[in-house]
Amino acid sequence: MIKYKDFAPRITERGPFGGPSEYESFSEVVSAANQWIESTKIQVINVETVVLPDWSIESTSDDVYGVTTSNGYYPVMISQGLKIDCFQCVRVWYRE
């Protein structure tokens, strides 16, 4: 069965009073994906970059996602003044 796992930037510093937070760089996200691949017994089928809106990114056990200052963060304007916060992520397609 084919599966996938997404790796998104984790918070490195929370903003004051719910303001913008800082997130790890995209190269750190790639490094986390590489470490996971090396530590598991999977057959990698493909690795790709995807840009996902922040509400579709599931938080990990140690982090919560949201607005950021990072080279992996993209505010996307979808309508007049309405923007969606998106993150550059790594998606690993694999077979167990």
Side-chain angles (χ1 to χ4, degrees):
M1 177 176 285
I2 295 174
K3 297 181 178 183
Y4 71 90
K5 181 171 178 64
D6 288 336
F7 295 85
R10 292 178 290 192
I11 290 176
T12 58
E13 185 177 327
R14 293 201 183 277
F17 309 109
S21 298
E22 290 188 22
Y23 283 69
E24 62 189 357
S25 68
F26 184 68
S27 62
E28 291 170 304
V29 175
V30 171
S31 179
N34 281 326
Q35 290 174 7
W36 179 78
I37 290 169
E38 289 178 9
S39 69
T40 58
K41 296 183 185 239
I42 59 166
Q43 175 191 359
V44 175
I45 298 169
N46 192 33
V47 178
E48 63 184 342
T49 300
V50 293
V51 176
L52 300 173
D54 66 352
W55 71 78
S56 71
I57 299 173
E58 297 177 8
S59 65
T60 61
S61 60
D62 59 345
D63 292 293
V64 177
Y65 298 98
V67 180
T68 181
T69 53
S70 167
N71 65 355
Y73 165 69
Y74 301 92
V76 177
M77 297 298 264
I78 61 169
S79 185
Q80 298 171 340
L82 181 61
K83 87 177 160 101
I84 297 174
D85 299 321
C86 296
F87 294 89
Q88 184 177 16
C89 304
V90 173
R91 178 169 287 169
V92 179
W93 291 92
Y94 65 97
R95 193 181 316 255
E96 290 186 303

